[in-house]
Amino acid sequence: MGKRLSWKALAGLVAAGLGSGPLLAAPPEPLPAEQLDFRPWGSESPGASLCRGVYVMPDYRLPPPEPGKVASESASASYGEDGETLLRGEVVLRRDNAQLETPQVRVPSNRERAFAEGPLALRDQGLLVRGSAAELSLVNDAASVDEAHYVIHDRHLRGDAQRLARLEDGRYRLSSASFTTCDPGDNLWQLVGGDVMLDRESGFGTARHARLEVKDVPVFYWPWVRFPIDDRRHTGFLWPAVGFSTDSLDYAQPFYWNIAPDQDATITPRWISDRGLLLGGQYRYLFAESAGQIEGAWLDSDDGGDSDNPNDAARRFEGEERWYLDYRHAGTLSPRSRYQLRYGAASDGRYFDDFGSDFAEQNTSSMSRLAQVDYRGDTWRLDARAQGFQKLDDPLLERDKPFYRLPSLTASARWNQQSGFYQQWQSNYSYFWRDIDEAALPNTERFDRESATGSRLHLAPAVGWRFDESWGHLEPRLEWLGTAYALDYGERGTDRDTSLTRSVPVTSVDAGLVFERELDLGGRGYRQTLEPRANYAYVPARDQSDFPDFDTSERAFSWNQLWSPHRFSGSDRVGDLNRLSLGLESRLLDDDSGRQRLSLGLGQALYFEDRSIDMDGNPDELPTNGADYYRATRDRSPLVANADWQLTESWRTRWQWLYDDDLERTERAGVELQYRSPNGHALNLGYRWELEGFDPSLDQFDDDFRNYDREEYDASFAWKAGRRVDLIGRLLYDNTNDRALEQLAGVQWNDCCYGVQLVWREWIDDNDTGNLADDFTDRGVFLRFVFKGLGGVGRGADSYFEEAIPGYRSTAF
């Protein structure tokens, strides 16, 4: 749950005070590195280190004394008539974990204090303080040092102060002090304060009349500021996030609340110049048996964006309230039983297109709603849920509204015998509902059917036998699919049957052989396999023309579909099939590790009957659409070829090709080349082609539908130009329409004590439709500064980079 505090400024930023009196506080000049326990890396520098060296605390010079006692060592000692003790030479005093090294110490007769003359060094549990003079208590941990220079070793933190005092409660108070995480000799930034308090027990510091200096130039002033000195969470303001997009300014100021060790919250007012003030928040908790979070945002009245076009999608909600809410909770009831709760909602389908999300990565296409509990036993698995989602399309047509399952109950089991026989049980009962005006659906037979709500019981028992040896396998299998509906058509005027049943046997036989041989290539030993495979499936046609479509779509053809008897996902359609699939695969395995280096596959399905069942479900009518008709009546599938080649430890390529050898055309093709370097470089080159209408699961109302042959090029990289510099870029190009779908370029400079991230991005917004005419271009520039040990200014792009650029590894700021 850790969210690290970056900055806290209770009194706010007062830029006008940069020249005021309190800012005249000046710490002493810093000491050279060799006096600060700094050890340069030299030739032993770790590859990932951004700093020139590390602070190393030497061993104590004296062994630990008895608790509460003081051990001492000196070249000479003298005693005055009043009982005063004077130690000279290389004087060393140690009490518990505190040790003083100094040329001279004077101890009054009461033995309660000691006065040291410098130059001196005071050490205490990873802390070094050097100074010109000091006063120390010999009965508690209090101490004060003049002209102090301090180092906290494990935080790579150093600073200087006119006076440093350790209080009896263990805190440190510094006057006219500085603070930085930069290497000695490098003062790119430092925090300077007139009165600074460091609390190592709580993990934070505070400063009055503080200024942030960059290269000795004051850039910020705070009357009172709080900052972290370790990785623990602290309540306070985080650094703001700033972004520029087209002609607008986007400024967010998060406030982090560390409620308890297992709870926290973030409150984020966000001002968008062409939208208004958006208030967001997130609350998280992590208990022993459960965890969860709730987040959301709210805008009272949308100003409509910066477009002058009143019909622009960005102005569609001008003057309206905009918001979203997302609640997630998960826990365990027992070692075998878990539960989940989820509720998400947004004011409209364009909310995340217009505002994004300040917190977790959001699915911008839907908002999930779920209440689920499951049980996982050795044989049985049970699942009970109520589930649905809000589809984030704008506009959202009645026919596109999703179904809810209220409830959905699933039971599955498997029994295996040593002889190879097995039995399976799959069952599900679901009640489907959606909030629509049934009478408003188009007046067609299809939407008569799709206006239905109601219950569905689906049973899928199966028996089979699996013979599996290293040299081959054989698996005959029989599955019975039984489905029953009880339907309600609401306000739709129809005399359709409300009680429907269907029973379909699914028969399949899968068989394969494995031939192996030893192979020597380039002096290395490999095993090459040759694996022929055959799969026969038979599914008779059943009339399903009256059946609704609650959760079903037809699958696009692929390598995996060669070996599956199921043409549809979901349970509302069972596709008829009389097919023999033949395939040949060859793999190259490294003899030493067994790792697969190369895989080649080629396969094709032969159809002995037309496939009459489509989403209309009528076994007596073939589809009338040209692409659908050809897909249903062709006597063989496209040839499916694929390759996966690990060329070296760093280079890998994948290739897939679906080719219609009858019409002599490519239906789908894709190739990608990947480079992954141990040094963090990543390169991705890709090409994709898809014939119009190839994917039968899409229709003209879907966002992803394209009424053209899709041809795209995709190139992206993340390149570590040096130990401190990362270069990042991507181009996604739509060659069919001669346009760039997305372009981005970024640079990240990462040094020992600071980081800078600058990103430019331009992309096509498709307005949630498959229509090119309403697409428009948006662009943005994102800048982020990070002062290590304090935090940063700007919105990080790491999470987006990791999604957009495969193989990108963020260099932690």
Side-chain angles (χ1 to χ4, degrees):
M1 285 186 60
K3 177 179 284 188
R4 183 177 175 186
L5 170 69
S6 298
W7 193 265
K8 181 176 181 181
L10 292 185
L13 175 65
V14 187
L18 289 176
S20 61
L23 292 182
L24 298 179
E29 289 296 315
L31 294 177
E34 56 269 19
Q35 297 186 43
L36 297 175
D37 292 347
F38 188 76
R39 181 182 297 173
W41 291 119
S43 60
E44 301 177 356
S45 173
S49 175
L50 298 172
C51 300
R52 299 196 317 270
V54 63
Y55 294 104
V56 179
M57 181 176 176
D59 295 333
Y60 285 98
R61 294 180 57 178
L62 294 178
E66 296 180 12
K69 302 294 184 179
V70 177
S72 65
E73 180 181 274
S74 63
S76 65
S78 60
Y79 305 94
E81 294 181 357
D82 58 355
E84 181 181 73
T85 301
L86 189 63
L87 305 177
R88 293 187 176 90
E90 294 187 10
V91 180
V92 181
L93 299 180
R94 180 173 180 183
R95 180 181 180 274
D96 298 328
N97 289 316
Q99 176 180 280
L100 173 67
E101 304 170 26
T102 182
Q104 178 174 302
V105 173
R106 179 173 60 86
V107 182
S109 59
N110 59 16
R111 300 296 189 265
E112 293 182 353
R113 293 180 298 167
F115 299 89
E117 296 182 7
L120 59 87
L122 177 64
R123 301 184 181 279
D124 185 2
Q125 291 181 317
L127 172 72
L128 165 66
V129 180
R130 293 191 181 275
S132 60
E135 178 181 344
L136 297 88
S137 171
L138 299 180
V139 295
N140 56 44
D141 292 329
S144 65
V145 180
D146 295 333
E147 295 184 27
H149 312 272
Y150 65 94
V151 171
I152 300 179
H153 297 77
D154 59 348
R155 302 304 307 158
H156 205 88
L157 183 156
R158 64 179 176 87
D160 310 283
Q162 291 295 348
R163 184 177 180 84
L164 181 150
R166 173 165 177 163
L167 308 181
E168 293 185 16
D169 59 8
R171 293 180 299 162
Y172 292 86
R173 187 166 192 171
L174 298 84
S175 302
S176 295
S178 66
F179 159 93
T180 186
T181 58
C182 296
D183 284 336
D186 177 11
N187 271 15
L188 181 124
W189 72 266
Q190 63 177 350
L191 179 69
V192 180
D195 184 7
V196 178
M197 189 77 74
L198 301 180
D199 189 341
R200 299 180 70 191
E201 182 176 346
S202 64
F204 65 85
T206 60
R208 297 181 184 276
H209 301 300
R211 66 182 185 266
L212 177 65
E213 293 183 355
V214 177
K215 285 295 185 182
D216 300 323
V217 177
V219 293
F220 291 114
Y221 165 70
W222 287 266
W224 190 87
V225 67
R226 182 175 178 176
F227 53 90
I229 58 175
D230 62 21
D231 287 325
R232 282 176 286 180
R233 305 171 307 166
H234 303 294
T235 296
F237 286 99
L238 306 179
W239 278 97
V242 184
F244 302 90
S245 178
T246 315
D247 297 323
S248 68
L249 169 66
D250 186 344
Y251 179 91
Q253 178 57 72
F255 176 82
Y256 179 71
W257 182 13
N258 184 25
I259 302 172
D262 53 5
Q263 301 174 66
D264 64 9
T266 304
I267 302 169
T268 306
R270 178 181 171 192
W271 182 70
I272 307 172
S273 60
D274 58 357
R275 295 285 185 182
L277 180 62
L278 183 75
L279 181 63
Q282 180 190 66
Y283 167 68
R284 304 186 300 174
Y285 53 90
L286 178 61
F287 303 142
E289 301 294 337
S290 63
Q293 67 179 46
I294 183 170
E295 65 181 59
W298 175 74
L299 173 66
D300 179 59
S301 178
D302 187 355
D303 291 342
D306 57 5
S307 174
D308 295 328
N309 181 2
N311 297 319
D312 193 288
R315 299 192 62 178
R316 196 170 293 159
F317 300 95
E318 186 171 1
E320 295 186 17
E321 189 178 33
R322 309 288 299 277
W323 55 269
Y324 89 95
L325 176 70
D326 192 7
Y327 171 64
R328 314 179 193 194
H329 178 86
T332 58
L333 299 174
S334 71
R336 291 182 178 269
S337 183
R338 300 171 301 177
Y339 69 94
Q340 294 185 66
L341 300 173
R342 178 82 183 267
Y343 181 80
S347 58
D348 55 81
R350 278 199 59 87
Y351 178 88
F352 293 108
D353 293 331
D354 293 339
F355 300 105
S357 174
D358 290 327
F359 304 105
E361 289 299 312
Q362 284 287 348
N363 179 354
T364 58
S365 64
S366 64
M367 297 290 288
S368 295
R369 289 125 188 223
L370 173 69
Q372 177 194 14
V373 59
D374 65 21
Y375 168 80
R376 297 192 175 193
D378 296 331
T379 300
W380 284 93
R381 292 193 174 188
L382 308 177
D383 183 288
R385 65 179 64 191
Q387 185 176 21
F389 62 93
Q390 178 188 0
K391 191 173 183 179
L392 297 180
D393 277 358
D394 178 56
L396 179 61
L397 303 178
E398 290 286 303
R399 60 174 170 256
D400 293 331
K401 288 184 177 180
F403 284 95
Y404 285 73
R405 301 167 185 253
L406 303 171
S408 178
L409 308 174
T410 301
S412 60
R414 183 180 175 102
W415 299 268
N416 296 305
Q417 288 81 50
Q418 291 185 350
S419 60
F421 285 98
Y422 64 86
Q423 301 81 39
Q424 285 183 330
W425 174 265
Q426 299 281 344
S427 60
N428 174 265
Y429 170 83
S430 295
Y431 183 85
F432 294 91
W433 171 88
R434 61 176 173 172
D435 183 18
I436 64 169
D437 179 1
E438 295 89 356
L441 293 175
N443 188 24
T444 66
E445 184 176 345
R446 172 188 171 184
F447 288 104
D448 278 348
R449 180 179 66 234
E450 301 306 332
S451 65
T453 60
S455 63
R456 183 187 71 197
L457 175 64
H458 183 71
L459 306 178
V463 294
W465 177 70
R466 176 80 180 185
F467 173 80
D468 203 346
E469 295 289 345
S470 61
W471 51 266
H473 74 273
L474 175 65
E475 182 179 8
R477 176 184 170 93
L478 175 62
E479 186 176 17
W480 179 79
L481 304 181
T483 312
Y485 294 87
L487 303 177
D488 181 3
Y489 293 93
E491 299 301 319
R492 188 83 169 187
T494 179
D495 57 358
R496 302 179 72 89
D497 194 351
T498 58
S499 297
L500 302 171
T501 60
R502 178 193 62 203
S503 178
V504 187
V506 177
T507 306
S508 65
V509 180
D510 191 70
L513 296 173
V514 179
F515 301 96
E516 292 186 356
R517 69 166 180 168
E518 302 297 323
L519 191 64
D520 184 83
L521 294 174
R524 296 189 60 177
Y526 295 93
R527 267 185 307 128
Q528 183 189 17
T529 70
L530 191 65
E531 305 174 34
R533 183 177 179 184
N535 182 284
Y536 175 76
Y538 178 75
V539 184
R542 293 289 188 268
D543 187 355
Q544 300 160 70
S545 56
D546 288 336
F547 287 22
D549 173 17
F550 291 142
D551 61 359
T552 295
S553 63
E554 188 172 357
R555 292 186 169 113
F557 198 78
S558 65
W559 174 265
N560 290 335
Q561 281 299 104
L562 285 170
W563 321 113
S564 172
H566 303 290
R567 292 173 40 222
F568 294 88
S569 63
S571 303
D572 296 313
R573 296 291 181 275
V574 177
D576 55 323
L577 193 62
N578 188 357
R579 181 218 64 200
L580 174 65
S581 293
L582 301 174
L584 182 64
E585 189 172 12
S586 180
R587 295 181 295 149
L588 194 64
L589 307 175
D590 193 315
D591 250 356
D592 293 333
S593 63
R595 182 180 179 183
Q596 179 177 290
R597 292 291 179 175
L598 175 65
S599 173
L600 299 171
L602 178 66
Q604 189 173 37
L606 307 177
Y607 300 112
F608 305 117
E609 296 177 3
D610 293 340
R611 277 76 56 210
S612 60
I613 299 298
D614 60 7
M615 289 304 298
D616 287 334
N618 192 331
D620 301 321
E621 296 180 6
L622 288 171
T624 57
N625 176 276
D628 294 340
Y629 178 83
Y630 178 69
R631 185 165 44 244
T633 59
R634 64 195 303 176
D635 58 7
R636 58 185 183 271
S637 75
L639 280 164
V640 185
N642 58 48
D644 188 339
W645 187 9
Q646 186 76 44
L647 289 82
T648 68
E649 295 302 315
S650 300
W651 289 93
R652 182 177 186 176
T653 183
R654 294 185 180 93
W655 170 73
Q656 184 186 61
W657 185 37
L658 277 72
Y659 178 74
D660 185 341
D661 59 333
D662 184 21
L663 297 182
E664 298 182 349
R665 66 181 184 182
T666 297
E667 296 191 3
R668 174 183 274 183
V671 61
E672 61 183 37
L673 178 66
Q674 295 181 344
Y675 172 72
R676 302 288 184 267
S677 167
N679 298 323
H681 309 309
L683 175 66
N684 306 282
L685 301 175
Y687 170 81
R688 292 182 290 274
W689 161 272
E690 185 173 293
L691 189 70
E692 177 187 348
F694 172 80
D695 189 346
S697 68
L698 300 176
D699 63 34
Q700 59 180 327
F701 304 111
D702 293 326
D703 296 351
D704 293 330
F705 176 78
R706 296 293 181 265
N707 58 352
Y708 53 81
D709 297 339
R710 179 181 292 192
E711 185 177 32
E712 294 177 355
Y713 297 92
D714 194 350
S716 63
F717 73 92
W719 199 261
K720 293 190 177 297
R723 182 176 294 182
R724 294 173 171 79
V725 182
D726 293 349
L727 302 176
I728 301 164
R730 186 189 187 195
L731 172 63
L732 177 60
Y733 189 76
D734 175 5
N735 195 53
T736 306
N737 300 291
D738 193 22
R739 61 177 185 168
L741 297 176
E742 180 168 34
Q743 303 173 78
L744 73 84
V747 60
Q748 177 174 288
W749 174 272
N750 200 18
D751 208 335
C752 179
C753 62
Y754 73 98
V756 180
Q757 194 177 69
L758 177 65
V759 180
W760 169 83
R761 182 184 175 220
E762 182 177 283
W763 67 97
I764 296 291
D765 190 320
D766 67 3
N767 254 325
D768 290 338
T769 73
N771 182 11
L772 293 181
D774 62 0
D775 291 357
F776 66 93
T777 300
D778 204 350
R779 59 184 59 87
V781 176
F782 308 93
L783 178 64
R784 187 188 186 208
F785 294 97
V786 173
F787 302 104
K788 298 182 179 180
L790 289 180
V793 178
R795 184 165 299 168
D798 290 354
S799 60
Y800 176 75
F801 287 162
E802 290 170 359
E803 178 182 345
I805 303 174
Y808 170 74
R809 293 196 315 235
S810 172
T811 302
F813 277 168

